[in-house]
Amino acid sequence: MEKTTSFSIHEGKPIRCKAAISRKPGEALVIEEIHVDPPQAFEVRIKILCTSLCHTDVTFSKLDSGPLARFPRILGHEAVGVVESIGGHVDGFQRGDVVLPVFHPHCEECRDCKSSKSNWCARFADDFLSNTRRYGMTSRFKDSMGEDIYHFLFVSSFSEYTVVDIAHLVKISPEMPVDKAALLSCGVSTGVGAAWKVADVEEGSTIAVFGLGAVGLAVAEGARLRGAGKIIGVDLNPDKFELGKKFGITDFINPALCGEKKISEVIKEMTGVGVDYSFECVGLHSLLTEAFNSTRTGSGKTVVLGIEKDLTPISLGSFDLFRGRHVCGSMFGGLKPKLDIPILVEHYLKKELNLDSFITHELKFEEINKAFDLLVQGKSLRCVLWMDK
C-alpha cells in the first residue's frame, strides 16, 4: 500500500530517473538522468523492476545507417515492471499491477487479433518505426537538456521508468518471480511459442534446432514439453550441448566437425529420413537452406526465427517445396501476448517450464555495459539487470 501511495505523488507529472542511453552507434551506453512524461490516453507509465538483454538490443546499438538507426535512444525490450500511473481510456490495468511490456502488439480488436490463425495485429504491427504506438514520433523521454530521446520497439526498458501503450502490456500474476517473467517479453516466448503454436510439435516427433542461443534453447524447451522424441541441437560452441541437455536436447552437431558433409546430410543419417521440424534461430541464409534440407520429404516443416540484418532474399528448391516440405516465418513464436503469456506463467508456476536455466548472470543496472560485453562474447545466455540492487 505504501508503494502504491508513493507512486501517486508523480501522477500526471514528469518523473526524473536514470536511464542507459545509446548516443552513438557502437559506443558504450551512458547512464544519465532523464525526464519521463506522464502517460497519455491508452498508455501506462511503469517502474521497471528488472530488465534483461537480448541480441536485438546489441544489433540496434550498432546500426549506423538506414531508418532504424536512431540516436540518442533508450534500448531494452525484455523487462518486468509495476504500474505507476495510467492515462485515459485505460481498462484492465491499475496502479500497482505487475506487468510485462512486450514489443509485439495485441490490440484485441482487429480481425487478426480476434482470429486464431495468427498472432499478427493488423491495426498496429506494420508500424515499427514510431516512438509511441498512437502518437507517432512523439517521445515520452527527454534528456537533461530537454532534447527528445528515441524509443525502442515501444518498450525502452533500459530506464527506471518508461511509458508503454496498453496494446504492448500484459498483466501477470504477482506470484511470478520477476526475473523469470522478464524472459517472457521476447526470447523465451519466441522459442517456446514456435514449438507449440507454429510447428505444433507432436509427441515422439524429431526436431533440429539451428543456433542454441536463448531462442533456440527455448525452442528445445517447448519441444521437450511437447514430448519430442529426438531434439538435435546445432551450434559451433561445444559448451552448448551440456547446457542444452537442461532443455531437452538429446543430440548435438558441431558444424565445424562435420568434415565434407553438410549439416543436413548428417541429420538425415541420424534420423533416416530427416526431421519432422527444423528451426533456424540465427538469421543466416546458408543455415536456413540447411535447416530446410534437413526436414523429411512430404511433411517436413521449417520455422524461420532468425532474420539477416540486410534482409537478403532466400532461395529454396522448388521441387522440394512441390513434394510437400513447408517453410514459414514466425513473429514472437505465434503467441498472442495477452492470451498466451499468462499460460506460460502458469506452466512455470507449476514447475513445468524451465526458465531458471536461461539466467546465467545478474548485475546492477549501472553495470549494463558489462552485460553487453558478456552477451557479445558468448558468455551470457540472459543477463538480468536489477534496477534497485
Side-chain angles (χ1 to χ4, degrees):
M1 182 62 69
E2 290 180 1
K3 182 180 289 188
T4 302
T5 303
S6 64
F7 283 168
S8 64
I9 295 174
H10 302 287
E11 188 168 3
K13 303 174 184 178
I15 283 181
R16 288 192 302 177
C17 69
K18 290 184 298 183
I21 301 177
S22 179
R23 287 212 165 264
K24 294 182 180 180
E27 294 189 1
L29 275 59
V30 183
I31 303 290
E32 298 183 20
E33 184 177 90
I34 66 166
H35 293 254
V36 183
D37 288 338
Q40 301 303 303
F42 302 103
E43 293 181 337
V44 170
R45 186 164 62 189
I46 63 178
K47 174 180 172 60
I48 298 295
L49 300 177
C50 66
T51 183
S52 53
L53 189 62
C54 171
H55 275 287
T56 303
D57 299 305
V58 176
T59 299
F60 276 81
S61 73
K62 296 179 178 179
L63 285 181
D64 57 4
S65 62
L68 298 177
R70 292 175 172 174
F71 301 90
R73 188 179 222 168
I74 298 175
L75 298 166
H77 63 288
E78 288 190 349
V80 171
V82 176
V83 174
E84 176 269 337
S85 59
I86 61 176
H89 306 291
V90 172
D91 296 320
F93 298 97
Q94 61 184 5
R95 205 161 46 236
D97 283 346
V98 181
V99 291
L100 194 75
V102 181
F103 76 92
H104 190 59
H106 186 192
C107 78
E108 300 181 284
E109 298 173 352
C110 71
R111 178 178 177 179
D112 286 331
C113 279
K114 292 180 178 180
S115 169
S116 61
K117 293 183 178 180
S118 82
N119 69 335
W120 195 247
C121 176
R123 184 179 181 185
F124 291 136
D126 282 319
D127 173 21
F128 52 90
L129 293 175
S130 294
N131 276 327
T132 48
R133 178 49 76 193
R134 300 170 207 250
Y135 301 92
M137 293 310 298
T138 300
S139 177
R140 302 287 177 246
F141 303 122
K142 287 182 173 59
D143 65 15
S144 59
M145 302 297 291
E147 298 295 323
D148 282 351
I149 306 170
Y150 287 108
H151 291 237
F152 180 59
L153 296 180
F154 306 97
V155 177
S156 292
S157 61
F158 294 166
S159 173
E160 291 180 311
Y161 287 86
T162 189
V163 175
V164 180
D165 190 284
I166 57 174
H168 291 268
L169 210 57
V170 178
K171 183 177 177 180
I172 63 172
S173 168
E175 297 178 12
M176 182 70 178
V178 294
D179 54 338
K180 311 306 186 300
L183 306 177
L184 301 178
S185 284
C186 179
V188 173
S189 291
T190 296
V192 173
W196 287 5
K197 288 275 188 175
V198 183
D200 194 15
V201 171
E202 309 98 340
E203 184 176 357
S205 56
T206 56
I207 78 165
V209 184
F210 290 73
L212 300 181
V215 172
L217 291 172
V219 169
E221 174 67 5
R224 179 188 71 81
L225 290 171
R226 280 294 184 90
K230 182 184 287 290
I231 302 175
I232 304 169
V234 181
D235 202 285
L236 288 167
N237 185 348
D239 295 336
K240 290 294 181 72
F241 187 28
E242 284 304 313
L243 178 62
K245 289 178 181 179
K246 298 179 181 179
F247 302 98
I249 289 179
T250 58
D251 301 85
F252 182 76
I253 296 174
N254 185 339
L257 303 179
C258 290
E260 297 297 320
K261 291 183 179 179
K262 296 180 178 180
I263 304 171
S264 56
E265 294 174 342
V266 175
I267 289 176
K268 286 190 174 180
E269 287 179 358
M270 294 172 66
T271 60
V273 292
V275 292
D276 298 303
Y277 305 99
S278 68
F279 299 83
E280 201 286 317
C281 306
V282 179
L284 290 176
H285 180 279
S286 58
L287 211 54
L288 173 57
T289 301
E290 285 302 293
F292 179 72
N293 290 337
S294 71
T295 60
R296 62 186 301 147
T297 301
S299 62
K301 187 171 187 177
T302 301
V303 180
V304 183
L305 296 170
I307 183 170
E308 290 212 26
K309 61 181 180 180
D310 55 359
L311 304 180
T312 305
I314 63 173
S315 176
L316 299 173
S318 57
F319 189 54
D320 290 318
L321 289 168
F322 179 74
R323 293 197 296 169
R325 285 181 178 153
H326 305 261
V327 61
C328 67
S330 171
M331 176 68 76
F332 198 58
L335 300 182
K336 293 180 182 290
K338 293 179 187 289
L339 293 178
D340 294 318
I341 288 178
I343 295 174
L344 295 181
V345 168
E346 183 179 345
H347 280 287
Y348 177 80
L349 293 176
K350 289 181 178 178
K351 303 185 184 304
E352 297 170 350
L353 177 63
N354 176 14
L355 295 178
D356 300 47
S357 298
F358 284 99
I359 299 176
T360 55
H361 296 78
E362 298 186 52
L363 298 172
K364 297 177 182 178
F365 178 58
E366 289 79 6
E367 299 176 288
I368 189 168
N369 288 305
K370 181 178 179 181
F372 267 77
D373 291 340
L374 288 168
L375 189 61
V376 171
Q377 295 168 7
K379 297 178 181 178
S380 168
L381 196 56
R382 275 299 184 267
C383 179
V384 173
L385 298 164
W386 292 95
M387 292 297 178
D388 294 330
K389 284 191 176 181

